[in-house]
Amino acid sequence: MTTKYLRNLLLGGAALALLAACGEKGDHAAHDHGDEPHASTEMTDDASGDALAATTEENPLLREWDTPFGIPPFSLVSDEDYLPAFEQGIAELEAEVDLIINNPEEPTFDNTIKALETSGATLTRVSNVFGNITNTDTNDDLQALESQIYPRLSKVYDGIALNDDLWARIKTLYETRDTLGLGKQEMRVLELYHRDFVRRGADLEPETKERMKEINAELSELTTKFGQNLLAETKDFELVITDEADLAGLQQSFIDSAKKTAEGKGRDDAWIFGLNRSVYEGFMTQSENRELRKQLFEGYTQRADNGGDTDSGEIILRIARLRAEAARLRGYDNHAHFQLETRMAKTAQNTEEFLLQVWRPGLATAKAELAEMQAMVDASDNPYKVEAWDWWHLSEKVRQEKYAFDDSQLKPYFEMDAVWDGAFYMAENLFGITFTKLEDTPVWHPSVSVYDLQDADGTHLGVFMVDMYARDSKRGGAWMSTYRGASNVDGNNIRPIVTNNLNLTKPASDDAPTLMAFNEVETLFHEFGHGLHGLMTTQNYDRISGVGGPRDYTEFPAQILEHWASEPEMLAVYAKHYDTGEVIPTELVDKLKEAANHNEGFRTTEFIAASLLDLRWHMLNEEEANAITDPREFEKEVLAEYGLIPEIEPRYRSPYFSHIFAGGYSAGYYAYLWSEILDADGFDAFKETGDIFDPEVALRLRIHVYEAGAVEEADELYRKFRGKDPSIEPLLRNRGFTDGS
């Protein structure tokens, strides 16, 4: 097994391994807990063999799962089962790695690399369940366990990655790789294991390795705490409205949902709005009450930045300093240098230049959008200076004025189940695959749906599980993750169990339809792309299967599918009025396309502002990182340097930028935009044929992208699909920017 779980740990810490490929829309917060771990659940460095053996028969995490397709038996697992299961998994992994290290035979691919690939199966299984459940159905006890388990796992994997004897075996194989007669996949896996161990620090001096262990352990604690702070701040904030007049402008379904939220909190006299991204965007867009918009805006943008116990300022500084120190110890100028070395962008300079190429026209467009909104306000009966909390609302007003429609007209045509039918239709017509809904399978929450994915010949490809609704026990945002990865070693063909997670607002009543805004539809198609990337893989080794690859490439298989969502041929299939069954009218489709680039300056600017902020945090060398004492001032200086206007906040400010301070996107948030080069250019391959389901292009996309994993370097995989290097022009064209100047 070691699989991507070990690989991610080799590259950068326990919490990293459990953050799956995320969609861009929304927050990606981790978890919160308030108390120190209870002594009775403290993890130890060793465990009694008798005690571990005794737990096997009674612990559902340690038994074989007699369930359809081996889906975890969620209802049988209690919070108390995780700790002993982790202990047994760790013991098994360490014993298996010891056998590799102490093997008296000369190292071979089978007795070293393959043995590592297939080790730690129990720990992987337990870790995957724990990591997914703490993302989707957490509680105080599980949050307390995170703070114990992740530092412990970091220590365990440091012990593996920095073991001199294991490294000697891998290094010997790598240096003689051309004489081993390896196949393509085996050679690639060996090369990547060697690279992973080098980047983790296996070739460092002994005292440096010890310091790296200390850094990794502390980073694991800090990133976990960062995510917990964010979840606490997000959950604690409530905008409580008691005067019905203050609901002016809000759609009735939105009001009903807020009423249901309030009733669930014992407030029958109120409407409650929180900081879930879909709620935030909906309120900021619809509400006519400027003061309430300001309150919600400040609640959202000041999370973990208020000087209290859940303020993350010092955590941010410490993370930046430790990452800079670790980069120096590894021989790199800074953390960005280290991170980008294996990505398509290669260097921080290349990344910054690329971002600025899109930033300049984006910012210019945003300023024009601001002027247009200010003119509208100046001409009204109540003129005022447009502020950041006005942008969403006024932008929608401009759109309604220019294009004579709004989301309330579109939503009835985007009912959630019908949208999923459309996504499945797209997948079947592109790749010949089919999804069959399964009943009576284990799920972690009653609202989860489960599907059996089959190839055109009936071959089972994987299990797809969908969790669509927001709730207090679930982190925000949208993401894909994996309960079981794919591999086929020695004929043991294991197919994946993949999940898609969104945070839609649940309707006020169970029999009401779930109607989606079009940007939520695009998010669904995006996460579905990640899901297919994980489900359709054909590589034998988990190290190179599924969503493997550099961060600035792995968003491409998700983002390219967003293009199908708005194609007229697709809309005719799935965009039907939930009540009448009427296909979305042509005039609404035309308006949707005409308005596609409305507010594009804002969207581009807020995203790139966050990307540049991420990059600059991680371009700091150790001396520079140590010199910063106030993360807020650093953030202000960076954004001012690039000319960000005060009416636009970056999509994520540092205190709630969990992508980079609690997840795997450090020096990598730009990846969504870089991948847009690929998805815009890649979709052109279909448009050039005049058929969005062209079978030849679709076959290349399947073979060289969705099935390929990381079997080759990302740029080579893209060239095999597209037949050429990508061009940035389609990206600029799609955003309405005629050039990059």
Side-chain angles (χ1 to χ4, degrees):
M1 150 318 310
T2 53
T3 67
K4 293 181 182 61
Y5 189 76
L6 172 55
R7 188 259 296 182
N8 283 332
L9 286 162
L10 289 173
L11 294 179
L16 246 178
L18 299 175
L19 185 70
C22 297
E24 208 299 284
K25 286 83 174 173
D27 286 327
H28 303 283
H31 315 290
D32 164 72
H33 72 94
D35 301 320
E36 289 300 313
H38 300 293
S40 62
T41 59
E42 188 170 315
M43 294 190 76
T44 58
D45 285 348
D46 52 46
S48 164
D50 291 342
L52 289 175
T55 66
T56 302
E57 291 304 316
E58 58 194 45
N59 191 327
L61 291 167
L62 298 175
R63 298 197 301 263
E64 289 299 316
W65 296 337
D66 184 19
T67 58
F69 301 103
I71 296 171
F74 299 104
S75 65
L76 302 181
V77 179
S78 68
D79 296 349
E80 292 74 22
D81 292 325
Y82 286 110
L83 209 59
F86 269 107
E87 290 288 11
Q88 176 144 331
I90 289 170
E92 290 179 9
L93 173 63
E94 291 181 328
E96 290 164 348
V97 173
D98 280 345
L99 288 176
I100 298 171
I101 293 169
N102 296 312
N103 190 332
E105 299 178 1
E106 290 296 310
T108 65
F109 180 88
D110 283 358
N111 69 24
T112 302
I113 302 301
K114 186 193 290 185
L116 273 175
E117 264 290 292
T118 56
S119 67
T122 296
L123 184 56
T124 295
R125 183 168 63 171
V126 174
S127 298
N128 285 346
V129 174
F130 181 74
N132 278 289
I133 291 300
T134 53
N135 276 334
T136 59
D137 202 19
T138 194
N139 58 50
D140 291 345
D141 290 337
L142 292 179
Q143 291 162 6
L145 280 175
E146 287 181 294
S147 294
Q148 302 168 68
I149 288 171
Y150 290 151
R152 172 77 168 102
L153 290 177
S154 182
K155 181 178 179 180
V156 168
Y157 282 105
D158 270 339
I160 296 172
L162 300 177
N163 182 280
D164 291 336
D165 294 330
L166 180 59
W167 168 236
R169 295 180 72 88
I170 294 173
K171 189 174 183 179
T172 296
L173 289 171
Y174 180 76
E175 291 174 345
T176 60
R177 62 192 181 280
D178 292 336
T179 68
L180 301 178
L182 299 178
K184 177 180 178 179
Q185 289 194 42
E186 288 73 19
M187 180 66 80
R188 177 67 169 166
V189 170
L190 171 57
E191 291 172 348
L192 291 178
Y193 264 92
H194 178 268
R195 188 177 79 182
D196 292 347
F197 272 72
V198 169
R199 287 172 60 78
R200 186 68 172 180
D203 229 8
L204 299 175
E205 295 298 319
E207 63 273 16
T208 307
K209 288 184 179 181
E210 290 305 309
R211 177 56 187 152
M212 287 298 303
K213 291 178 183 179
E214 295 171 356
I215 290 172
N216 292 337
E218 187 174 355
L219 282 172
S220 180
E221 294 175 359
L222 290 167
T223 55
T224 299
K225 179 60 177 171
F226 181 98
Q228 292 172 344
N229 284 352
L230 178 55
L231 184 61
E233 295 267 314
T234 302
K235 288 175 62 177
D236 288 349
F237 180 90
E238 292 180 350
L239 179 64
V240 181
I241 295 178
T242 56
D243 185 348
E244 191 168 1
D246 289 334
L247 301 172
L250 301 181
Q251 296 173 9
Q252 189 59 49
S253 60
F254 199 41
I255 293 172
D256 293 343
S257 180
K259 170 62 74 173
K260 186 177 181 180
T261 299
E263 291 172 349
K265 297 176 181 290
R267 292 293 305 270
D268 295 342
D269 63 334
W271 296 264
I272 293 179
F273 300 88
L275 296 180
N276 176 275
R277 184 73 185 192
S278 62
V279 172
Y280 173 75
E281 289 187 10
F283 191 92
M284 296 298 290
T285 299
Q286 298 172 28
S287 176
E288 299 284 352
N289 191 312
R290 191 166 184 247
E291 179 56 36
L292 291 179
R293 293 202 306 268
K294 181 180 180 182
Q295 289 180 34
L296 194 66
F297 174 83
E298 290 178 343
Y300 188 87
T301 59
Q302 293 176 12
R303 287 175 296 167
D305 190 25
N306 50 32
D309 292 340
T310 50
D311 187 290
S312 290
E314 289 301 316
I315 293 175
I316 291 168
L317 292 178
R318 187 62 180 158
I319 289 174
R321 292 165 183 167
L322 288 172
R323 285 175 175 170
E325 181 186 357
R328 176 182 60 80
L329 293 175
R330 292 179 173 120
Y332 295 88
D333 294 337
N334 51 55
H335 183 71
H337 185 189
F338 168 72
Q339 289 286 79
L340 292 164
E341 180 184 49
T342 59
R343 296 178 181 169
M344 295 185 77
K346 301 302 182 187
T347 70
Q349 289 71 30
N350 287 346
T351 305
E352 184 179 41
E353 289 172 6
F354 159 67
L355 289 171
L356 292 178
Q357 191 174 359
V358 189
W359 168 265
R360 295 185 188 103
L363 182 59
T365 303
K367 290 178 179 178
E369 292 166 355
L370 175 61
E372 190 171 24
M373 291 186 295
Q374 188 65 63
M376 171 185 282
V377 173
D378 290 344
S380 71
D381 295 333
N382 182 31
Y384 54 83
K385 181 185 180 301
V386 175
E387 302 287 356
W389 49 88
D390 300 313
W391 196 297
W392 291 87
H393 181 70
L394 294 177
S395 175
E396 180 62 15
K397 293 287 190 185
V398 172
R399 184 173 76 155
Q400 292 177 26
E401 183 177 277
K402 292 176 69 172
Y403 304 106
F405 86 108
D406 58 27
D407 272 346
S408 65
Q409 294 173 269
L410 291 174
K411 276 189 171 184
Y413 297 95
F414 296 119
E415 190 274 325
M416 184 185 72
D417 291 337
V419 174
W420 272 119
D421 288 342
F424 294 155
Y425 172 89
M426 171 191 64
E428 181 173 3
N429 280 270
L430 280 172
F431 307 124
I433 58 179
T434 57
F435 290 81
T436 303
K437 192 167 186 178
L438 300 175
E439 304 294 346
D440 301 321
T441 60
V443 291
W444 58 90
H445 190 273
S447 64
V448 173
S449 299
V450 186
Y451 299 88
D452 172 21
L453 171 61
Q454 295 185 355
D455 211 341
D457 62 359
T459 301
H460 171 70
L461 292 178
V463 173
F464 184 50
M465 309 183 78
V466 176
D467 186 351
M468 295 294 287
Y469 295 112
R471 51 186 177 270
D472 286 344
S473 62
K474 184 179 180 184
R475 72 178 174 92
W479 70 97
M480 165 266 186
S481 60
T482 302
Y483 273 98
R484 185 176 66 214
S487 62
N488 189 5
V489 178
D490 295 332
N492 184 22
N493 188 17
I494 298 172
R495 295 310 303 168
I497 301 174
V498 165
T499 76
N500 267 185
N501 304 269
L502 272 70
N503 268 280
L504 301 180
T505 301
K506 197 169 181 62
S509 62
D510 292 339
D511 58 351
T514 300
L515 304 181
M516 303 174 67
F518 187 68
N519 70 315
E520 293 171 332
V521 173
E522 291 179 312
T523 299
L524 184 151
F525 275 72
H526 176 109
E527 297 307 331
F528 186 50
H530 283 309
L532 292 181
H533 200 192
L535 288 162
M536 294 172 63
T537 185
T538 59
Q539 304 309 310
N540 293 333
Y541 299 93
D542 191 86
R543 176 61 184 88
I544 56 173
S545 72
V547 295
R551 185 71 72 184
D552 49 9
Y553 171 79
T554 55
E555 292 301 326
F556 160 55
Q559 290 176 190
I560 192 172
L561 295 194
E562 294 181 41
H563 292 273
W564 273 266
S566 59
E567 285 294 305
E569 182 177 341
M570 279 291 300
L571 290 169
V573 170
Y574 79 91
K576 299 177 181 179
H577 197 284
Y578 77 95
D579 190 27
T580 67
E582 174 197 17
V583 174
I584 189 170
T586 302
E587 56 268 26
L588 266 184
V589 175
D590 291 341
K591 288 178 180 179
L592 178 64
K593 296 182 74 172
E594 289 172 7
N597 289 326
H598 173 69
N599 207 35
E600 188 59 59
F602 171 83
R603 289 193 296 265
T604 298
T605 301
E606 67 153 6
F607 173 81
I608 298 181
S611 302
L612 290 168
L613 180 61
D614 163 37
L615 195 63
R616 290 291 290 274
W617 269 118
H618 296 109
M619 288 172 67
L620 298 170
N621 61 34
E622 190 174 10
E623 181 180 355
E624 292 167 338
N626 287 329
I628 297 172
T629 59
D630 188 338
R632 300 157 191 82
E633 286 303 313
F634 174 76
E635 180 179 292
K636 289 178 183 178
E637 291 171 5
V638 167
L639 297 175
E641 179 182 329
Y642 291 112
L644 180 66
I645 56 179
E647 293 82 5
I648 297 179
E649 286 281 318
R651 185 169 182 84
Y652 298 102
R653 290 191 53 243
S654 303
Y656 52 92
F657 207 164
S658 58
H659 286 76
I660 68 171
F661 291 118
Y665 279 79
S666 58
Y669 192 63
Y670 77 94
Y672 294 103
L673 192 63
W674 186 281
S675 290
E676 192 177 330
I677 301 176
L678 308 181
D679 78 67
D681 184 78
F683 189 63
D684 270 9
F686 286 92
K687 298 296 282 186
E688 289 163 4
T689 69
D691 181 2
I692 61 171
F693 296 113
D694 182 85
E696 292 184 9
V697 180
L699 182 61
R700 295 201 306 269
L701 183 65
R702 174 172 182 160
I703 293 172
H704 300 302
V705 177
Y706 290 98
E707 293 182 347
V711 70
E712 296 180 70
E713 292 296 324
D715 54 353
E716 184 60 26
L717 290 174
Y718 186 82
R719 279 191 291 269
K720 286 186 173 181
F721 154 60
R722 187 67 169 97
K724 68 180 185 67
D725 288 324
S727 166
I728 196 175
E729 273 63 41
L731 179 157
L732 296 173
R733 180 193 69 222
N734 288 352
R735 286 181 175 248
F737 307 148
T738 56
D739 58 59
S741 60

